[in-house]
Amino acid sequence: MAASGRPGGAADGGREATRAGQRVAQGATGRAEAPGPGEEPQHEPHPRHGGERIGRPREGGGGRSWQRGGEPGGTVPEQSPPHEGRSAVPDATHAEVSRAAAGETAGAQVPAPAGPPPARSAHPGESGEVAAARQAGGDRLRFIGAATRRIARGIDLDEIVLGLCRATVPTFADAILVYLRDPLPVGDERPTGPVVLRLRRTDRIPEEPDTNGGRLPMLPAQPDLGPAMGGSAAELAEVQPGGPLAEVLRGVRPLFGEAQAARTALPELLGPDPRLPGGHRVILAPLRGRRRVIGAAVFLRRPDRPAFEPDDLLVAAQLATHTALGVDKAVLYGREAYIADALQRTMLPDSLPQPTGVRLASRYLPAAETARVGGDWYDAIPLPGSRVALVVGDVMGHSMTSAAIMGQLRTTAQTLAGLDLPPQEVLHHLDEQAQRLGTDRMATCMYAVYDPVAHRITIANAGHPPPVMLHRGGRAEVLRVPSGAPIGVGGVDFEAVELDAPAGATLVLYTDGLVESRIRDVWTGIEQLRERLAETARLTGPNPPPLEPMCDEVLDMLGPGDRDDDIALLAARFDGIAPSDVAYWYLDPKAQTAGQARRLARRALARWGLDELTDQLELLVSEVVTNAVRYAERPITLRLLRTDVLRCEVGDDVPQLPRLRQARPSDEGGRGLYLVNRMARRWGATRLSMGKVVWFELSMPPGVQRR
């Protein structure tokens, strides 16, 4: 085709083709123009990798056009959607490119082709500049997609910030500085005080290559950026209200370092003399979360690397937006993890008591690290008469709600244990409490009371897996305990059984998370637990295995896929109290009973070789027995226990507990408990179902071997 005779026609056609190619590249990549200084920032849609179109179709006028992402209302020329045999580029654009490539002038006419157009390539006659623009747009989309996915993979704060640094350096920038508010606000929390930004992390490409010609590994936190990128950075920056940095952060939009607003804000952030590279080699991007600005990121490039382009502001905006939202998510997750840890510490005992005649050990494992608490609990509660209540329970589920219900049931169990109710009565009242909490509040529970003097244990069960008894010779036995119905069912009677608890035996109470999983049923798991306990006992021979290592061995039976639920484990080693260390009497409530109690106590101490405690014990026994005789109607009980301390217990049928008070000089009585409080190592009073027990302990004299 002949060229037009107008001078400069070829050059004009080339410029027209270039402009047409730029329009095509914009329509294909969805690139939005950088908003002006006075415009509000536009939120970019989440980029997709591959060759998908950015934007959404708009119907109207009988045709369909594509709205470019990032430009509200901006469209590419109206066209039909591409299909097989036709180009995806508008016909008018192809005509412009063809005319420019052929050297046509603006006034030349192009004859219409006869018949349907032949199949053409996607972009015939596309110039190298247009192809480069298209390739650059695609590369940016792919980079944004990969970077945002890497940032989104992080859960905690350090992972989010590290993901930004690793995705940015060296692909997008040679160095990055990430500043976050200190402290970071949580959710709807309104921060008070001045806004302070702390340098959370920096990353950069090392200045020099290593001996092999490759880059040195990137360092995690390194304020020194090197002389080519401004030297060191400030650790703290206080944002002055109404100052340049505050205005930039309020504007949300990333800015080049050469912009007037950024030039005045960067010294406030990085220090008075940042010495940053010239040209478009610095981008200041505010980090804005869901409700407020939470920090800023500074991207830098070396002088020997190509400067940032205007489209890179959009890339920085996407990176900043995804990072800020991820930081918000991480802060909320951190707060929930803190609440979960605090709830766990509150709901479970900090330490186990050390009652006489029994040693205890426990373990608790949550279902997963992301769910720190659940509905499993354990407890050991000292009871009158040197007895101890052992409790293990499991509320269905392992959520915060289950943990809250567990806390209420555990508190109820402690209160009922303090009343010294039988195990079956404790479960009955727990069942009533669970029904009051809600119709769907279900739990299983095992409640056992161990008496070290009688060497007996009484157990009641509410739908819980049976306990395992490891005897001294190494035999492990699954105890036959009535299963019962779970707590919360209602209208069910619970049954208690009394079993022997010989000295040296170990009782193992646990929740179903230890023995049941997706790959094994509960009875298979119980048999594996019994075998593991027997194997552990064989390692120590005739002596029972130590409690703490034994608990670790039990937990080691869990495989990689066995942790489906919370696990609570409570092990009790029964030492008991030998009959020779116990003295027990029934005394009639008479005026002479106090003297009789003194004589009996003195004989017991002489038999035990504890004559040094005679005067002290006689005085305290006389005061406590006198108080019991004054109000009792039935025989009272006096019991002395010799263990690591000397314990005295006086029981009567009066439910009212004694109260310590300061007697006036004119009072004839009221000083007995005052003497007990001053002279005894410890003392207390416990209400029973048929009265009460007042007890006190005396320390053993020096030189006496502890039992």
Side-chain angles (χ1 to χ4, degrees):
M1 184 179 295
S4 174
R6 189 174 61 183
D12 294 339
R15 287 191 295 271
E16 183 179 1
T18 301
R19 290 193 297 271
Q22 292 174 349
R23 290 195 298 272
V24 172
Q26 289 182 3
T29 62
R31 177 173 58 85
E33 299 293 339
E39 298 175 358
E40 289 295 323
Q42 301 295 331
H43 295 285
E44 293 292 326
H46 187 75
R48 299 179 179 177
H49 59 83
E52 297 184 8
R53 187 185 300 273
I54 306 299
R56 62 183 183 275
R58 299 190 304 172
E59 305 292 342
R64 183 170 60 178
S65 63
W66 289 90
Q67 181 177 353
R68 290 184 297 180
E71 292 184 13
T75 62
V76 298
E78 200 168 52
Q79 63 187 30
S80 298
H83 56 81
E84 184 178 1
R86 296 191 58 186
S87 170
V89 183
D91 291 340
T93 306
H94 280 298
E96 294 173 358
V97 176
S98 300
R99 287 198 301 271
E104 295 181 357
T105 62
Q109 301 295 325
V110 179
R120 298 175 292 185
S121 62
H123 307 287
E126 186 179 73
S127 67
E129 185 177 354
V130 174
R134 184 185 305 279
Q135 179 67 27
D139 291 343
R140 286 190 178 92
L141 288 179
R142 284 188 290 272
F143 166 72
I144 292 176
T148 52
R149 286 193 299 272
R150 186 166 192 172
I151 294 171
R153 281 198 299 265
I155 295 179
D156 59 21
L157 187 60
D158 291 334
E159 289 179 350
I160 296 289
V161 177
L162 179 62
L164 172 65
C165 295
R166 291 295 185 260
T168 303
V169 180
T171 308
F172 181 70
D174 294 324
I176 183 174
L177 300 93
V178 182
Y179 284 85
L180 296 179
R181 294 185 66 162
D182 187 23
L184 280 166
V186 180
D188 297 334
E189 183 180 280
R190 297 183 66 87
T192 59
V195 178
V196 177
L197 300 182
R198 178 181 293 275
L199 184 62
R200 183 76 185 192
R201 191 178 187 93
T202 68
D203 214 342
R204 69 178 178 91
I205 299 178
E207 294 289 340
E208 298 295 337
D210 61 9
T211 56
N212 297 324
R215 293 291 185 184
L216 294 175
M218 291 172 287
L219 301 179
Q222 188 171 328
D224 183 11
L225 299 179
M229 289 176 289
S232 60
E235 292 284 346
L236 286 175
E238 182 174 344
V239 181
Q240 300 297 331
L245 182 57
E247 294 298 324
V248 171
L249 297 179
R250 188 178 298 113
V252 181
R253 299 160 45 86
L255 299 173
F256 284 124
E258 289 189 336
Q260 178 61 32
R263 280 204 309 267
T264 55
L266 283 172
E268 188 177 345
L269 180 65
L270 304 179
D273 186 18
R275 303 189 309 276
L276 298 174
H280 286 359
R281 289 183 171 83
V282 179
I283 293 179
L284 173 59
L287 303 178
R288 183 175 183 83
R290 292 176 177 84
R291 297 185 179 274
R292 59 183 66 84
V293 174
I294 60 174
V298 181
F299 304 93
L300 302 99
R301 282 187 181 176
R302 290 174 173 173
D304 57 349
R305 184 175 177 180
F308 290 111
E309 299 179 5
D311 287 346
D312 291 328
L313 291 176
L314 302 178
V315 176
Q318 287 281 3
L319 297 175
T321 299
H322 284 273
T323 301
L325 295 178
V327 169
D328 269 354
K329 174 187 67 176
V331 172
L332 289 174
Y333 171 77
R335 173 61 63 87
E336 290 185 359
Y338 170 79
I339 294 174
D341 289 339
L343 187 60
Q344 180 184 13
R345 289 192 298 268
T346 303
M347 297 302 179
L348 296 177
D350 294 333
S351 61
L352 293 174
Q354 298 178 355
T356 302
V358 62
R359 286 174 287 172
L360 303 173
S362 63
R363 294 291 186 274
Y364 175 81
L365 292 179
E369 289 298 325
T370 54
R372 304 288 181 90
V373 296
D376 295 13
W377 89 91
Y378 61 89
D379 216 339
I381 309 167
L383 299 178
S386 299
R387 296 170 300 150
V388 59
L390 307 174
V391 190
V392 169
D394 181 6
V395 178
M396 295 184 180
H398 46 81
S399 62
M400 291 291 222
T401 303
S402 301
I405 298 172
M406 174 267 286
Q408 297 180 68
L409 293 180
R410 178 175 177 246
T411 302
T412 303
Q414 289 179 331
T415 303
L416 295 172
L419 298 176
D420 199 27
L421 298 178
Q424 64 272 23
E425 291 296 325
V426 172
L427 295 184
H428 174 72
H429 289 293
L430 283 177
D431 179 64
E432 293 180 340
Q433 176 66 12
Q435 294 179 67
R436 285 190 289 266
L437 295 177
T439 57
D440 57 343
R441 309 310 188 193
M442 305 285 289
T444 64
C445 182
M446 182 77 66
Y447 188 92
V449 175
Y450 170 65
D451 189 343
V453 176
H455 296 272
R456 302 282 287 179
I457 185 168
T458 306
I459 306 176
N461 188 14
H464 205 76
V468 178
M469 178 81 78
L470 178 62
H471 295 273
R472 190 180 185 90
R475 180 174 62 92
E477 174 189 7
V478 179
L479 299 183
R480 295 183 178 181
V481 179
S483 59
I487 291 173
V489 173
V492 179
D493 291 332
F494 298 97
E495 182 181 354
V497 294
E498 187 173 350
L499 304 171
D500 289 331
T506 305
L507 183 70
V508 178
L509 304 175
Y510 54 91
T511 56
D512 58 355
L514 179 65
V515 295
E516 185 179 19
S517 68
R518 290 170 293 179
I519 62 177
R520 62 179 178 182
D521 62 87
V522 60
W523 288 108
T524 301
I526 292 174
E527 182 61 23
Q528 291 179 0
L529 172 61
R530 189 192 66 79
E531 294 176 355
R532 176 56 64 94
L533 289 174
E535 293 175 0
T536 304
R538 282 195 292 269
L539 296 176
T540 58
N543 298 321
L547 277 182
E548 297 294 340
M550 188 193 74
C551 291
D552 295 335
E553 288 290 333
V554 168
L555 294 181
D556 286 343
M557 65 179 280
L558 299 172
D562 291 350
R563 284 275 299 278
D564 298 333
D565 198 0
D566 300 351
I567 298 174
L569 176 67
L570 179 63
R573 173 70 45 75
F574 300 141
D575 294 334
I577 300 177
S580 59
D581 293 329
V582 180
Y584 193 87
W585 303 277
Y586 285 95
L587 304 176
D588 293 328
K590 299 184 299 184
Q592 300 83 3
T593 302
Q596 182 183 3
R598 289 194 297 269
R599 290 192 300 271
L600 295 174
R602 182 166 59 250
R603 293 172 186 173
L605 292 183
R607 186 171 64 250
W608 290 336
L610 300 177
D611 297 317
E612 298 181 30
L613 299 178
T614 300
D615 294 339
Q616 190 176 2
L617 179 64
E618 284 187 358
L619 176 59
L620 299 184
V621 165
S622 178
E623 295 293 339
V624 175
V625 170
T626 300
N627 187 73
V629 168
R630 179 178 302 175
Y631 304 102
E633 297 181 356
R634 298 178 182 178
I636 65 174
T637 59
L638 172 62
R639 184 165 72 169
L640 299 179
L641 302 174
R642 181 183 61 160
T643 57
D644 54 344
V645 295
L646 179 64
R647 182 182 177 98
C648 177
E649 299 173 351
V650 177
D652 58 58
D653 60 345
V654 181
Q656 287 79 16
L657 299 180
R659 180 171 54 90
L660 180 66
R661 64 184 181 89
Q662 185 71 35
R664 294 174 297 180
S666 58
D667 292 342
E668 295 183 0
R671 296 177 177 83
L673 286 182
Y674 178 77
L675 293 174
V676 174
N677 183 64
R678 291 297 301 268
M679 300 178 64
R681 178 175 177 265
R682 287 195 314 155
W683 78 278
T686 305
R687 182 179 285 110
L688 305 178
S689 57
M690 297 297 293
K692 68 175 181 297
V693 169
V694 180
W695 57 269
F696 62 86
E697 294 177 352
L698 299 177
S699 299
M700 288 293 186
V704 176
Q705 184 177 1
R706 299 169 64 93
R707 303 182 65 85

